[in-house]
Amino acid sequence: MTTFGLKNAEIAQHVRAVARDDLDADELFDRFARAAWTGIAEPGDRAAGVLVGMLGAASALDAVIARTSVDAIVERVRGELTPMETTEAIARWQPRLQARATIIALKQAARYGVRLVVPSDTVWPAGLDDLGPHAPIALWLRGNESTLATTQSSIALVGARAATGYGEHVTMEASAGLVDRGYTIVSGAAYGIDGMAHRAALASSGQTIAVLAGGVDRFYPSGHEALLTRIVNDGAVVSELPCGAAPTKWRFLQRNRLIAAMSLATVVLEAGWRSGSLNTAGHASALGRPLGAVPGPVTSAASSGCHRLIREFDAICVTSAEEMAELAPLSEHRPTQAHTEVPLPGLDSDQARLRDAMSNRAARPVVDLAARSGLSVAQVQSMLGTMELEGRAAEREAGWVRL
């Protein structure tokens, strides 16, 4: 390994401060490389996900550092990346290939008691694997590993920052009721609905996970520092970005995919027409996760986004914790991950994902269906033709609908 040219002892010293003591040399290299990748690639970078997934984090990092030819990299990933994708990705990563940045992030993590969690760890949220090459390469955890291990029984509660009294009341009742039923509450620690969801979970002595869009060493928003400190003590605060990383608009949008993926279901409690929580709902729908929305007064602009989800995006109308729990019932017979559910009869897994992305009311264009299902446009076009012949789908002027 040529990982940044650092000595093995130096790598081991910094990684052991944020990981288990029983790691062998290969595991140490892997975790160090994953820590580096969280700062090199932006969240959700498909090229990084493909490279790390097929070569391993350390080998992938070494290939980029050593300036391995694009053709050689494309060959090693067996064509999963095109030469253009690879060239553009390397150009994105090169400015961030700095050993010092990784060392600083690891030192800062050790200072705040942050741990680096990787996919091979038992506490890794298995639902994140449904993101495929867009899954996080590692997670930085500040808080309790035992809480992170409860995502197999979690529900995401999200909504607008500019929440009304109605929205906060409904959120408080929902969060407390779900905690009483054994669910862990996942949200983004923002003002408004997110903050109330976390507070109510803590007040009910429940488990809650806050997913941040920046480093877990710098709480954001700053007005929730006290709340996030409580979550660290009694729950978990996680991010796919290294310590020191600042939150940005893009990172907030990418953060939302983690909230949706690590939860069994997502509920939007109050949201305006253009609320960022609708982005989380979109990720949940694309992943095939159950999606719920709480209705509000028809005269309230603060609930127009929820009404839009119910009308246009097949969200289930939910009005209580009991109805929210029905989206993802907890029982010994229920699969622990949504992606293990049996597809509809006569459909393979890709067709089931495409069918989940379709609406039986609102026509959706091929590009939209591809984005929702995580399939390529070519795959979607091919499968739509088959589904039309089988009477499972129909083409309308504005796109395709499910039959």
Side-chain angles (χ1 to χ4, degrees), residues 9 13 20 65 84 103 154 159 172 205 223 236 253 257 284 294 299 331 344 358 360 395 400:
Q13 173 191 349
R20 306 192 315 267
I65 292 173
M84 180 174 291
I103 296 298
S154 65
M172 178 180 65
S205 301
L253 293 175
R257 83 192 196 287
V294 175
T299 54
S331 73
L344 293 175
M358 300 174 73
N360 57 5
E395 187 174 14
W400 290 79

PDB file of all heavy atoms in Angstrom, residues 9 13 20 65 84 103 154 159 172 205 223 236 253 257 284 294 299 331 344 358 360 395 400:
ATOM      1  N   ALA A   9       2.827   2.778  11.087  1.00  0.00           N
ATOM      2  CA  ALA A   9       2.642   3.113  12.500  1.00  0.00           C
ATOM      3  C   ALA A   9       1.828   4.391  12.660  1.00  0.00           C
ATOM      4  O   ALA A   9       0.997   4.504  13.574  1.00  0.00           O
ATOM      5  CB  ALA A   9       3.999   3.276  13.184  1.00  0.00           C
ATOM      6  N   GLN A  13      -1.812   4.549  14.458  1.00  0.00           N
ATOM      7  CA  GLN A  13      -2.001   5.430  15.618  1.00  0.00           C
ATOM      8  C   GLN A  13      -3.282   6.243  15.507  1.00  0.00           C
ATOM      9  O   GLN A  13      -4.068   6.327  16.461  1.00  0.00           O
ATOM     10  CB  GLN A  13      -0.807   6.372  15.739  1.00  0.00           C
ATOM     11  CG  GLN A  13      -0.978   7.440  16.818  1.00  0.00           C
ATOM     12  CD  GLN A  13       0.096   8.514  16.742  1.00  0.00           C
ATOM     13  OE1 GLN A  13       1.088   8.360  16.017  1.00  0.00           O
ATOM     14  NE2 GLN A  13      -0.089   9.600  17.460  1.00  0.00           N
ATOM     15  N   ARG A  20     -11.901   0.172  16.748  1.00  0.00           N
ATOM     16  CA  ARG A  20     -11.592  -0.906  17.686  1.00  0.00           C
ATOM     17  C   ARG A  20     -10.089  -1.152  17.742  1.00  0.00           C
ATOM     18  O   ARG A  20      -9.331  -0.838  16.825  1.00  0.00           O
ATOM     19  CB  ARG A  20     -12.289  -2.197  17.250  1.00  0.00           C
ATOM     20  CG  ARG A  20     -13.771  -2.104  17.046  1.00  0.00           C
ATOM     21  CD  ARG A  20     -14.373  -3.498  16.897  1.00  0.00           C
ATOM     22  NE  ARG A  20     -13.597  -4.346  16.017  1.00  0.00           N
ATOM     23  CZ  ARG A  20     -13.826  -4.485  14.716  1.00  0.00           C
ATOM     24  NH1 ARG A  20     -14.785  -3.766  14.135  1.00  0.00           N
ATOM     25  NH2 ARG A  20     -13.091  -5.312  13.987  1.00  0.00           N
ATOM     26  N   ILE A  65      -3.965   8.170  -6.136  1.00  0.00           N
ATOM     27  CA  ILE A  65      -2.742   8.861  -5.714  1.00  0.00           C
ATOM     28  C   ILE A  65      -1.605   8.591  -6.697  1.00  0.00           C
ATOM     29  O   ILE A  65      -0.833   9.493  -7.052  1.00  0.00           O
ATOM     30  CB  ILE A  65      -2.337   8.417  -4.297  1.00  0.00           C
ATOM     31  CG1 ILE A  65      -3.354   8.903  -3.275  1.00  0.00           C
ATOM     32  CG2 ILE A  65      -0.946   8.938  -3.938  1.00  0.00           C
ATOM     33  CD1 ILE A  65      -3.125   8.364  -1.882  1.00  0.00           C
ATOM     34  N   MET A  84     -14.773   8.749 -19.641  1.00  0.00           N
ATOM     35  CA  MET A  84     -15.115  10.148 -19.345  1.00  0.00           C
ATOM     36  C   MET A  84     -15.498  10.315 -17.875  1.00  0.00           C
ATOM     37  O   MET A  84     -15.053  11.272 -17.218  1.00  0.00           O
ATOM     38  CB  MET A  84     -16.260  10.621 -20.240  1.00  0.00           C
ATOM     39  CG  MET A  84     -16.669  12.066 -20.001  1.00  0.00           C
ATOM     40  SD  MET A  84     -17.913  12.684 -21.164  1.00  0.00           S
ATOM     41  CE  MET A  84     -16.921  12.720 -22.668  1.00  0.00           C
ATOM     42  N   ILE A 103      -5.446  13.372   8.334  1.00  0.00           N
ATOM     43  CA  ILE A 103      -4.872  13.312   9.682  1.00  0.00           C
ATOM     44  C   ILE A 103      -5.572  14.292  10.610  1.00  0.00           C
ATOM     45  O   ILE A 103      -5.906  13.972  11.766  1.00  0.00           O
ATOM     46  CB  ILE A 103      -3.352  13.602   9.631  1.00  0.00           C
ATOM     47  CG1 ILE A 103      -2.621  12.531   8.830  1.00  0.00           C
ATOM     48  CG2 ILE A 103      -2.796  13.701  11.044  1.00  0.00           C
ATOM     49  CD1 ILE A 103      -2.719  11.144   9.413  1.00  0.00           C
ATOM     50  N   SER A 154     -36.494   1.734  12.789  1.00  0.00           N
ATOM     51  CA  SER A 154     -36.550   3.192  12.840  1.00  0.00           C
ATOM     52  C   SER A 154     -37.521   3.769  11.818  1.00  0.00           C
ATOM     53  O   SER A 154     -37.793   3.167  10.783  1.00  0.00           O
ATOM     54  CB  SER A 154     -35.159   3.782  12.588  1.00  0.00           C
ATOM     55  OG  SER A 154     -34.719   3.482  11.266  1.00  0.00           O
ATOM     56  N   GLY A 159     -39.779  17.420   8.232  1.00  0.00           N
ATOM     57  CA  GLY A 159     -40.731  18.466   7.910  1.00  0.00           C
ATOM     58  C   GLY A 159     -40.067  19.816   7.810  1.00  0.00           C
ATOM     59  O   GLY A 159     -38.836  19.930   7.800  1.00  0.00           O
ATOM     60  N   MET A 172     -44.777  16.149  18.007  1.00  0.00           N
ATOM     61  CA  MET A 172     -44.539  15.724  19.387  1.00  0.00           C
ATOM     62  C   MET A 172     -45.347  14.455  19.705  1.00  0.00           C
ATOM     63  O   MET A 172     -44.803  13.488  20.240  1.00  0.00           O
ATOM     64  CB  MET A 172     -44.930  16.836  20.356  1.00  0.00           C
ATOM     65  CG  MET A 172     -44.767  16.475  21.824  1.00  0.00           C
ATOM     66  SD  MET A 172     -45.247  17.837  22.913  1.00  0.00           S
ATOM     67  CE  MET A 172     -47.002  17.961  22.539  1.00  0.00           C
ATOM     68  N   SER A 205     -37.804   9.058  26.668  1.00  0.00           N
ATOM     69  CA  SER A 205     -36.736   8.093  26.971  1.00  0.00           C
ATOM     70  C   SER A 205     -36.529   7.105  25.822  1.00  0.00           C
ATOM     71  O   SER A 205     -36.245   5.929  26.043  1.00  0.00           O
ATOM     72  CB  SER A 205     -37.050   7.326  28.269  1.00  0.00           C
ATOM     73  OG  SER A 205     -37.178   8.224  29.350  1.00  0.00           O
ATOM     74  N   GLY A 223     -27.989  26.893  16.997  1.00  0.00           N
ATOM     75  CA  GLY A 223     -29.045  27.053  17.990  1.00  0.00           C
ATOM     76  C   GLY A 223     -29.513  25.738  18.578  1.00  0.00           C
ATOM     77  O   GLY A 223     -30.235  25.730  19.579  1.00  0.00           O
ATOM     78  N   ALA A 236     -27.576   9.124  18.996  1.00  0.00           N
ATOM     79  CA  ALA A 236     -26.439   9.114  18.073  1.00  0.00           C
ATOM     80  C   ALA A 236     -26.550  10.270  17.088  1.00  0.00           C
ATOM     81  O   ALA A 236     -27.633  10.586  16.591  1.00  0.00           O
ATOM     82  CB  ALA A 236     -26.385   7.790  17.314  1.00  0.00           C
ATOM     83  N   LEU A 253     -29.057  18.267   0.780  1.00  0.00           N
ATOM     84  CA  LEU A 253     -29.868  17.432  -0.107  1.00  0.00           C
ATOM     85  C   LEU A 253     -29.365  15.997  -0.110  1.00  0.00           C
ATOM     86  O   LEU A 253     -30.151  15.048  -0.120  1.00  0.00           O
ATOM     87  CB  LEU A 253     -29.847  18.013  -1.522  1.00  0.00           C
ATOM     88  CG  LEU A 253     -30.539  19.369  -1.693  1.00  0.00           C
ATOM     89  CD1 LEU A 253     -30.346  19.884  -3.110  1.00  0.00           C
ATOM     90  CD2 LEU A 253     -32.022  19.271  -1.361  1.00  0.00           C
ATOM     91  N   ARG A 257     -30.830  11.634   1.665  1.00  0.00           N
ATOM     92  CA  ARG A 257     -30.910  10.245   1.180  1.00  0.00           C
ATOM     93  C   ARG A 257     -30.534   9.269   2.287  1.00  0.00           C
ATOM     94  O   ARG A 257     -31.044   8.147   2.331  1.00  0.00           O
ATOM     95  CB  ARG A 257     -30.021  10.061  -0.051  1.00  0.00           C
ATOM     96  CG  ARG A 257     -28.548   9.802   0.233  1.00  0.00           C
ATOM     97  CD  ARG A 257     -27.683   9.910  -1.005  1.00  0.00           C
ATOM     98  NE  ARG A 257     -26.373   9.314  -0.810  1.00  0.00           N
ATOM     99  CZ  ARG A 257     -25.390   9.828  -0.080  1.00  0.00           C
ATOM    100  NH1 ARG A 257     -25.570  10.984   0.548  1.00  0.00           N
ATOM    101  NH2 ARG A 257     -24.238   9.192   0.046  1.00  0.00           N
ATOM    102  N   ALA A 284     -37.019   8.483  -0.286  1.00  0.00           N
ATOM    103  CA  ALA A 284     -37.722   7.330   0.285  1.00  0.00           C
ATOM    104  C   ALA A 284     -38.519   6.606  -0.793  1.00  0.00           C
ATOM    105  O   ALA A 284     -38.509   5.369  -0.875  1.00  0.00           O
ATOM    106  CB  ALA A 284     -38.632   7.779   1.428  1.00  0.00           C
ATOM    107  N   VAL A 294     -48.722  13.820   6.708  1.00  0.00           N
ATOM    108  CA  VAL A 294     -49.783  14.254   7.616  1.00  0.00           C
ATOM    109  C   VAL A 294     -50.526  15.428   6.989  1.00  0.00           C
ATOM    110  O   VAL A 294     -49.907  16.424   6.616  1.00  0.00           O
ATOM    111  CB  VAL A 294     -49.195  14.680   8.980  1.00  0.00           C
ATOM    112  CG1 VAL A 294     -50.301  15.239   9.880  1.00  0.00           C
ATOM    113  CG2 VAL A 294     -48.503  13.498   9.650  1.00  0.00           C
ATOM    114  N   THR A 299     -56.198  25.558   4.094  1.00  0.00           N
ATOM    115  CA  THR A 299     -55.864  26.976   3.956  1.00  0.00           C
ATOM    116  C   THR A 299     -54.428  27.273   4.372  1.00  0.00           C
ATOM    117  O   THR A 299     -53.976  28.406   4.250  1.00  0.00           O
ATOM    118  CB  THR A 299     -56.804  27.822   4.828  1.00  0.00           C
ATOM    119  OG1 THR A 299     -56.754  27.332   6.183  1.00  0.00           O
ATOM    120  CG2 THR A 299     -58.229  27.732   4.320  1.00  0.00           C
ATOM    121  N   SER A 331     -42.567  -6.637  13.804  1.00  0.00           N
ATOM    122  CA  SER A 331     -42.961  -7.977  14.222  1.00  0.00           C
ATOM    123  C   SER A 331     -41.834  -8.921  13.887  1.00  0.00           C
ATOM    124  O   SER A 331     -40.992  -8.648  13.030  1.00  0.00           O
ATOM    125  CB  SER A 331     -44.244  -8.429  13.512  1.00  0.00           C
ATOM    126  OG  SER A 331     -43.979  -8.723  12.154  1.00  0.00           O
ATOM    127  N   LEU A 344     -43.653  -8.227  -6.290  1.00  0.00           N
ATOM    128  CA  LEU A 344     -44.981  -8.635  -6.722  1.00  0.00           C
ATOM    129  C   LEU A 344     -44.880  -9.834  -7.655  1.00  0.00           C
ATOM    130  O   LEU A 344     -43.899  -9.976  -8.380  1.00  0.00           O
ATOM    131  CB  LEU A 344     -45.660  -7.476  -7.470  1.00  0.00           C
ATOM    132  CG  LEU A 344     -45.997  -6.252  -6.614  1.00  0.00           C
ATOM    133  CD1 LEU A 344     -46.537  -5.154  -7.519  1.00  0.00           C
ATOM    134  CD2 LEU A 344     -47.029  -6.612  -5.560  1.00  0.00           C
ATOM    135  N   MET A 358     -43.565   4.187 -10.033  1.00  0.00           N
ATOM    136  CA  MET A 358     -44.663   4.689 -10.863  1.00  0.00           C
ATOM    137  C   MET A 358     -45.894   5.017 -10.019  1.00  0.00           C
ATOM    138  O   MET A 358     -46.090   4.475  -8.939  1.00  0.00           O
ATOM    139  CB  MET A 358     -45.028   3.651 -11.938  1.00  0.00           C
ATOM    140  CG  MET A 358     -43.879   3.309 -12.871  1.00  0.00           C
ATOM    141  SD  MET A 358     -44.271   1.956 -14.005  1.00  0.00           S
ATOM    142  CE  MET A 358     -45.406   2.811 -15.110  1.00  0.00           C
ATOM    143  N   ASN A 360     -50.237   5.408 -10.112  1.00  0.00           N
ATOM    144  CA  ASN A 360     -51.404   4.981 -10.892  1.00  0.00           C
ATOM    145  C   ASN A 360     -52.317   6.156 -11.214  1.00  0.00           C
ATOM    146  O   ASN A 360     -53.380   5.973 -11.799  1.00  0.00           O
ATOM    147  CB  ASN A 360     -52.186   3.889 -10.160  1.00  0.00           C
ATOM    148  CG  ASN A 360     -52.633   4.323  -8.783  1.00  0.00           C
ATOM    149  OD1 ASN A 360     -52.453   5.474  -8.395  1.00  0.00           O
ATOM    150  ND2 ASN A 360     -53.203   3.402  -8.030  1.00  0.00           N
ATOM    151  N   GLU A 395     -48.802   4.183 -21.450  1.00  0.00           N
ATOM    152  CA  GLU A 395     -48.181   5.466 -21.768  1.00  0.00           C
ATOM    153  C   GLU A 395     -49.253   6.520 -21.975  1.00  0.00           C
ATOM    154  O   GLU A 395     -50.241   6.301 -22.681  1.00  0.00           O
ATOM    155  CB  GLU A 395     -47.308   5.347 -23.011  1.00  0.00           C
ATOM    156  CG  GLU A 395     -46.497   6.605 -23.292  1.00  0.00           C
ATOM    157  CD  GLU A 395     -45.519   6.434 -24.438  1.00  0.00           C
ATOM    158  OE1 GLU A 395     -45.645   5.444 -25.186  1.00  0.00           O
ATOM    159  OE2 GLU A 395     -44.631   7.296 -24.580  1.00  0.00           O
ATOM    160  N   TRP A 400     -45.691   7.894 -18.169  1.00  0.00           N
ATOM    161  CA  TRP A 400     -46.192   6.534 -17.936  1.00  0.00           C
ATOM    162  C   TRP A 400     -46.914   6.440 -16.599  1.00  0.00           C
ATOM    163  O   TRP A 400     -46.527   7.090 -15.634  1.00  0.00           O
ATOM    164  CB  TRP A 400     -45.045   5.541 -17.953  1.00  0.00           C
ATOM    165  CG  TRP A 400     -44.450   5.341 -19.315  1.00  0.00           C
ATOM    166  CD1 TRP A 400     -43.557   6.180 -19.945  1.00  0.00           C
ATOM    167  CD2 TRP A 400     -44.706   4.274 -20.233  1.00  0.00           C
ATOM    168  NE1 TRP A 400     -43.240   5.689 -21.195  1.00  0.00           N
ATOM    169  CE2 TRP A 400     -43.932   4.505 -21.397  1.00  0.00           C
ATOM    170  CE3 TRP A 400     -45.506   3.128 -20.174  1.00  0.00           C
ATOM    171  CZ2 TRP A 400     -43.933   3.648 -22.484  1.00  0.00           C
ATOM    172  CZ3 TRP A 400     -45.519   2.277 -21.266  1.00  0.00           C
ATOM    173  CH2 TRP A 400     -44.749   2.538 -22.411  1.00  0.00           C
TER     174      TRP A 400
END
